Amino acid sequence: MTLTPLVYWAQRHEEIYLRVELTDAVVSHKSTQRQVNITVRKEQRGWWERLTVQERKPVFLAPDFNRWLEESDAEMEIREKEEKRNRLKAVRHTEEGFVSLKTSFLFVYNLVQFLGFSWIFVNMTVRLFIFGQDSLYDTFHTISDVMFFCQILASVEVLNAAFGFVRTGVIPTLIQVVGRNFVLFIIFGSLEEMHHRPVVFFVFYLWSAIEIFRYPFYMLRCFNTQWKTLTWLRYTVWIPLYPLGVLAEAVAVIQSIPIFDQTKLFSIPLPKAIGTSISFSHVLHVYLILMFLGLFINFRHLYKQRKKQFQTKKRKTH
Ligand SMILES: CCCCCCCCCCCCC[C@@H](O)CC(=O)SCCNC(=O)CCNC(=O)[C@H](O)C(C)(C)COP(=O)(O)OP(=O)(O)OC[C@H]1O[C@@H](n2cnc3c(N)ncnc32)[C@H](O)[C@@H]1OP(=O)(O)O
């Protein structure tokens, strides 16, 4: 006797769903499945009155109430799916817009910094060749405006890290920005006596020497690409430059201590009963300790970043 499995059916405007129950059937292959689900695409979109041509429903055929929908409900389902698709599209559009806005912002930021620091580096190098040692004494007057601009702008990097615009830690960036701006604005900016010291040349030259590689490296990273030589320079040049930079900054701080003592600039007044004031040079002594702590933290951070970069092999390189 031929066994006819029960067939449950349901439809949408474009498809027919068939569920063939095999509970009682002897199945020749070893499948343990209890049912076969079949989706048949309708040749023409439309709503069928029944599944079979003949009006009389075969005994083995029954509506699949798990999926059954009336025509109007099926139309509603299509509309809901369409709305969901549109909503997803809109979200994706907004996300893509944000990503491209962020990329453009970072690219322009890095480009401006690259131009600024390149100007500083090239200008200082050319002046060194033309004027020799004399150029060491007027670095502040020729370079400081652009350096002020670049270093104020560099504060954006702390925000970039804090808001997750770039994959980096806030602390190393904060140490870097606060450290440099302290030397630039407090030590050099506020003391005229420091303006003609050769230490300004060494500090500015060491700062800009890394940035002419770092910012173009970031510009390429904005487009998920990199140039091997530039990556190597960005993650290697800091090894001698960072300790030398901190050393030059420390010399500048040490040179400024007697000036602060003499001028009493930024000294902290104490209550009249005690009668004196605390010289800013005490703050500078503490700052000297912080500097070497900052050097240790950032040196370790940069070493980790270097290791991470050179371990990542599957990058697009040129
Ligand atoms: C809490 C306050 C305490 C204050 C205490 C003060 C203590 C003072 C201590 C002062 C020491 C400072 C001395 C310093 O001034 C001396 C010098 O600078 S000497 C010259 C040599 N200097 C250097 O080499 C340092 C240069 N600076 C840096 O490298 C960074 O500023 C630093 C924060 C140190 C490290 O950068 P970062 O953490 O960002 O690492 P990565 O470059 O590897 O970047 C990580 C990923 O983020 C992407 N990224 C980062 N920035 C951008 C950007 N602007 N645009 C696009 N993408 C960016 C980057 O591509 C990496 O992603 P991926 O891995 O995918 O490539």
Side-chain angles (χ1 to χ4, degrees):
M1 186 180 101
T2 314
L3 287 172
T4 311
L6 265 176
V7 177
Y8 294 93
W9 80 286
Q11 66 169 319
R12 299 294 181 272
H13 288 84
E14 286 165 349
E15 286 162 338
I16 291 290
Y17 305 125
L18 299 173
R19 180 158 58 87
V20 185
E21 284 289 327
L22 297 174
T23 322
D24 300 325
V26 180
V27 183
S28 59
H29 63 81
K30 287 199 177 107
S31 166
T32 54
Q33 282 175 310
R34 291 168 60 88
Q35 61 187 36
V36 177
N37 285 300
I38 304 164
T39 302
V40 184
R41 185 152 287 277
K42 287 178 180 171
E43 213 170 87
Q44 272 182 351
R45 193 181 185 283
W47 200 252
W48 294 3
E49 277 181 23
R50 54 185 179 275
L51 180 66
T52 52
V53 178
Q54 75 270 23
E55 277 186 34
R56 234 188 100 176
K57 181 176 79 67
V59 283
F60 62 82
L61 189 65
D64 183 350
F65 287 114
N66 289 339
R67 313 191 73 161
W68 193 260
L69 282 185
E70 293 304 326
E71 185 177 2
S72 57
D73 293 337
E75 267 163 15
M76 184 100 78
E77 190 188 63
I78 291 173
R79 271 201 298 277
E80 277 170 6
K81 274 187 187 163
E82 186 69 24
E83 275 169 21
K84 206 172 153 187
R85 249 199 309 272
N86 288 343
R87 269 201 303 274
L88 277 174
K89 242 193 239 167
V91 169
R92 223 169 294 140
H93 245 85
T94 318
E95 277 174 4
E96 277 168 11
F98 177 72
V99 168
S100 60
L101 197 72
K102 188 183 88 175
T103 307
S104 316
F105 160 72
L106 284 176
F107 183 80
V108 172
Y109 168 78
N110 294 319
L111 177 66
V112 171
Q113 289 285 33
F114 172 60
L115 293 176
F117 278 107
S118 300
W119 184 88
I120 294 173
F121 189 80
V122 172
N123 200 314
M124 288 175 77
T125 309
V126 171
R127 289 178 62 80
L128 187 64
F129 275 107
I130 298 175
F131 304 112
Q133 269 196 10
D134 287 349
S135 77
L136 305 190
Y137 297 91
D138 64 356
T139 306
F140 191 85
H141 286 123
T142 49
I143 304 293
S144 62
D145 285 344
V146 183
M147 190 57 99
F148 281 143
F149 171 79
C150 290
Q151 279 306 134
I152 290 172
L153 193 62
S155 312
V156 165
E157 282 170 45
V158 180
L159 300 178
N160 285 346
F163 290 118
F165 275 21
V166 295
R167 286 181 297 267
T168 189
V170 183
I171 300 293
T173 316
L174 198 63
I175 290 177
Q176 174 72 32
V177 173
V178 172
R180 279 193 188 175
N181 284 347
F182 183 87
V183 171
L184 182 62
F185 291 97
I186 310 282
I187 307 294
F188 295 154
S190 66
L191 296 180
E192 234 191 292
E193 294 85 340
M194 291 298 293
H195 291 183
H196 298 287
R197 306 256 172 133
V199 71
V200 180
F201 175 91
F202 292 104
V203 169
F204 283 10
Y205 209 59
L206 290 163
W207 286 358
S208 54
I210 183 69
E211 308 306 30
I212 55 172
F213 302 119
R214 187 162 73 105
Y215 289 112
F217 164 78
Y218 289 156
M219 277 154 70
L220 291 184
R221 295 302 297 134
C222 286
F223 301 106
N224 249 348
T225 184
Q226 57 177 289
W227 173 34
K228 251 184 177 169
T229 315
L230 187 62
T231 306
W232 186 86
L233 287 166
R234 188 271 171 272
Y235 286 104
T236 308
V237 171
W238 62 269
I239 299 172
L241 290 189
Y242 212 86
L244 284 175
V246 174
L247 191 68
E249 288 177 30
V251 169
V253 173
I254 291 166
Q255 287 186 356
S256 75
I257 287 176
I259 309 172
F260 278 109
D261 279 336
Q262 259 174 24
T263 57
K264 299 254 185 281
L265 187 68
F266 301 141
S267 62
I268 306 153
L270 289 177
K272 271 206 177 125
I274 305 172
T276 182
S277 59
I278 299 178
S279 169
F280 188 65
S281 63
H282 295 297
V283 176
L284 294 182
H285 283 102
V286 176
Y287 183 75
L288 279 173
I289 300 168
L290 284 182
M291 262 180 113
F292 288 94
L293 202 68
L295 166 71
F296 171 74
I297 295 173
N298 273 8
F299 209 87
R300 205 179 56 160
H301 172 75
L302 281 164
Y303 175 73
K304 276 189 195 160
Q305 298 294 80
R306 182 177 203 275
K307 227 167 105 183
K308 201 174 80 186
Q309 281 292 331
F310 294 140
Q311 270 169 0
T312 315
K313 296 249 157 62
K314 285 183 186 162
R315 283 245 176 93
K316 196 177 160 191
T317 51
H318 289 279

